[in-house]
Amino acid sequence: MEMVLPVANATAAALARVSAMFNAPLARAVVFGIHIDGHLVIEGLLIAAILFQLSRKSYKPPKKPLTEREVDELCDEWQPEPLCPPIKEGARIEAPTLESAAGPHTTVDGKEVVNFASANYLGLIGNEKILDSCIGSVEKYGVGSCGPRGFYGTIDVHLDCETKIAKFLGTQDSILYSYGISTIFSVIPAFCKKGDIIVADEGVHWAVQNGLQLSRSTVVYFKHNDMASLASTLEKLTHGNKRTEKIRRYIVVEAIYQNSGQIAPLDEIVRLKEKYRFRVILEESHSFGVLGKSGRGLAEHYGVPIEKIDIITAGMGNALATDGGFCTGSIRVVDHQRLSSSGYVFSASLPPYLASAAISAVDHLEENPSVLANLRSNITLLHKELSDVQGLEIASNILSPIVFLKLKTSTGSSVADLELLEVISEKVLKEDSVFIAATKRSSLDKCRLPVGIRLFVSAGHTESDILKVSESLKRVAASVL
């Protein structure tokens, strides 16, 4: 207590002195008729000090050059950033190696297997007439074309193939691409630009996704193969929106979805397209040569006039057992691509022997319509045999040549699901010599549909092939799941 009283007295005395200073006559001056109190003087001094500090040049220590030893030490310590991120454990893909043609039966790692991993829908791989046409084309034209179509890379067989496809489908014209997967992601940006609106199915495969991204258009996704979701999306985009009426609008779908095996309801899509005044881009890589009475695709399957579909694309590496792709439609649609589609303008044209193979494959389909009946019979039998596999269920359409099996009960993680499915695929190959494949998606693939096992059915498969894969899957799935 004795120590507190002196401190309190000293504090009170100091406050009294400060108060007296501010109340002194010097602290209350009059300048040009304005009374200036003492606190204004102090604030002015503070502002002047701040301005002085801000106006001073920052101090920079004198530069001293590094010695050679210091430079060497810094170089030894420097670690460059990796060009790509490290590959995670389990992310490496070690696919089986085929050692013969990818027909219904093939050789994998020195062992003959039944092949359900290749999209050889019509069983045309190894077809003698197609092989003969390829040999004749190689003898006449050589292997490659050595130039893009617009720069001396157009060969008469390219024009014959384009005419053949257009005539087969009943369209005005068609255009060939040298690589199947590049067809759709070249066609979409050729027509869809920044500011346009694209309504796309959320289940489209990576090539379509890439085309959507390259277009720089506004992309809106609807629920997978859900026409109520499509109608709702189109209504939201167009209702009361006058701006939408003045820009280009597209619907992008696959005929048979690679990621699910589902078939798009084209009749309903065309109805909505006409109601809301959109254009349709249809990707038919897995339906051309498969659906319809004569294999002419989704339009023939639903009885929809082909001219109601604005743009049709397809790869030729599946049903036709060749390579490359095509886009077909009106003359205006085709001619626009000859100057505006990057995959056509800047790529070397399709090797002539592949165009000859495509012509021969279409000829074979026209001359042998029974091949479609064989394919559908095999699909129906496989659906029947796989209807009661433990832990797995069929997610694909009964008419789809892609029989898609997914887990009845997911683990909650697509990575864990895929690991289970890969174990099943590996055991089926190792123990029963049946080649099947789980769906692998890259980190670039934004599809969020369930992963699964994809079986590609061929007209070349026999009943014993179907029964063998079914029995093997039932046994292995029961032991794993």
Side-chain angles (χ1 to χ4, degrees):
M1 190 68 180
E2 293 178 356
M3 294 180 64
V4 172
L5 286 173
V7 172
N9 292 334
T11 303
L15 291 173
R17 290 193 193 95
V18 172
S19 177
M21 181 178 65
F22 277 98
N23 291 326
L26 291 175
R28 293 181 177 275
V30 178
V31 179
F32 298 112
I34 300 174
H35 293 276
I36 301 177
D37 296 331
H39 71 87
L40 292 177
V41 175
I42 294 175
E43 290 173 359
L45 291 174
L46 288 174
I47 292 172
I50 291 170
L51 292 174
F52 173 73
Q53 291 294 338
L54 292 175
S55 64
R56 292 182 64 189
K57 293 183 178 179
S58 60
Y59 173 74
K60 292 183 180 180
K63 292 184 178 180
K64 182 180 179 181
L66 297 174
T67 64
E68 291 186 7
R69 181 179 176 181
E70 290 172 330
V71 171
D72 292 339
E73 288 176 352
L74 289 174
C75 290
D76 292 337
E77 293 173 0
W78 181 70
Q79 293 293 332
E81 290 291 329
L83 292 176
C84 58
I87 299 176
K88 297 179 181 178
E89 185 65 27
R92 293 182 181 274
I93 299 176
E94 297 180 1
T97 303
L98 275 68
E99 298 170 358
S100 64
H105 292 189
T106 187
T107 304
V108 173
D109 299 329
K111 181 171 62 174
E112 184 176 343
V113 299
V114 181
N115 184 13
F116 282 89
S118 302
N120 176 31
Y121 297 139
L122 302 182
L124 295 182
I125 288 181
N127 180 276
E128 290 186 5
K129 289 186 177 180
I130 295 177
L131 289 176
D132 290 341
S133 71
C134 289
I135 292 170
S137 182
V138 168
E139 290 175 347
K140 181 178 180 180
Y141 303 106
V143 176
S145 59
C146 299
R149 288 288 300 273
F151 297 90
Y152 314 108
T154 295
I155 300 172
D156 56 1
V157 72
H158 292 140
L159 304 178
D160 294 341
C161 187
E162 290 173 345
T163 302
K164 183 70 178 181
I165 290 170
K167 184 178 179 181
F168 179 71
L169 290 175
T171 55
Q172 294 180 4
D173 201 358
S174 62
I175 181 172
L176 283 183
Y177 286 80
S178 54
Y179 187 38
I181 200 172
S182 71
T183 305
I184 185 64
F185 67 66
S186 295
V187 169
I188 292 176
F191 292 94
C192 309
K193 306 297 181 182
K194 188 175 181 180
D196 296 344
I197 293 177
I198 301 176
V199 178
D201 190 292
E202 66 178 359
V204 293
H205 65 79
W206 177 80
V208 181
Q209 295 172 32
N210 193 34
L212 299 176
Q213 182 181 11
L214 291 173
S215 72
R216 300 187 301 164
S217 302
T218 300
V219 181
V220 181
Y221 290 97
F222 64 94
K223 293 180 181 179
H224 179 51
N225 220 25
D226 186 333
M227 292 301 100
S229 175
L230 174 59
S232 174
T233 302
L234 297 179
E235 178 67 24
K236 289 177 182 177
L237 289 171
T238 57
H239 183 69
N241 189 346
K242 293 184 178 180
R243 178 180 172 275
T244 305
E245 298 176 358
K246 299 178 182 179
I247 59 179
R248 291 174 298 216
R249 307 177 297 281
Y250 301 88
I251 299 172
V252 177
V253 292
E254 293 177 51
I256 296 179
Y257 289 93
Q258 182 175 301
N259 288 327
S260 71
Q262 287 290 320
I263 296 177
L266 184 63
D267 51 350
E268 182 65 13
I269 291 171
V270 168
R271 186 187 70 81
L272 292 172
K273 164 219 168 179
E274 293 177 343
K275 178 180 178 181
Y276 293 101
R277 303 176 70 83
F278 274 65
R279 296 180 175 94
V280 171
I281 299 177
L282 180 64
E283 215 290 313
E284 289 218 65
S285 290
H286 295 283
S287 60
F288 176 72
V290 173
L291 292 182
K293 183 180 179 181
S294 56
R296 286 172 167 81
L298 195 63
E300 184 182 47
H301 174 69
Y302 278 101
V304 173
I306 194 77
E307 59 269 14
K308 290 196 173 185
I309 307 170
D310 301 276
I311 302 170
I312 297 173
T313 70
M316 299 190 297
N318 300 325
L320 300 187
T322 178
D323 201 0
F326 67 84
C327 179
T328 190
S330 67
I331 293 175
R332 291 182 64 187
V333 163
V334 169
D335 285 348
H336 175 74
Q337 295 173 68
R338 298 197 189 277
L339 292 177
S340 303
S341 182
S342 58
Y344 178 88
V345 174
F346 299 109
S347 296
S349 61
L350 185 69
Y353 72 93
L354 294 177
S356 297
I359 294 172
S360 297
V362 174
D363 287 339
H364 179 84
L365 180 58
E366 289 180 314
E367 296 166 3
N368 301 275
S370 61
V371 70
L372 294 173
N374 295 339
L375 174 61
R376 288 161 191 162
S377 175
N378 286 342
I379 296 170
T380 302
L381 178 60
L382 187 58
H383 269 259
K384 178 182 176 182
E385 294 297 325
L386 295 179
S387 60
D388 58 348
V389 179
Q390 182 177 320
L392 298 173
E393 62 181 353
I394 299 175
S396 53
N397 189 284
I398 187 63
L399 294 175
S400 169
I402 301 175
V403 177
F404 195 92
L405 294 171
K406 67 177 184 178
L407 294 172
K408 286 182 180 178
T409 304
S410 171
T411 62
S413 165
S414 60
V415 175
D417 288 351
L418 186 56
E419 288 177 355
L420 277 175
L421 297 167
E422 286 180 336
V423 169
I424 293 173
S425 300
E426 290 169 3
K427 288 176 72 69
V428 166
L429 176 60
K430 183 178 180 180
E431 298 175 8
D432 298 318
S433 299
V434 177
F435 188 26
I436 62 176
T439 56
K440 294 180 176 68
R441 294 176 187 161
S442 74
S443 58
L444 299 175
D445 195 332
K446 305 303 180 184
C447 178
R448 293 295 175 262
L449 296 185
V451 293
I453 293 174
R454 203 161 36 205
L455 305 177
F456 294 103
V457 185
S458 171
H461 285 133
T462 63
E463 182 177 344
S464 62
D465 295 335
I466 304 292
L467 296 177
K468 184 174 183 178
V469 69
S470 303
E471 292 168 1
S472 178
L473 274 170
K474 288 177 184 178
R475 182 185 61 79
V476 173
S479 66
V480 173
L481 301 177

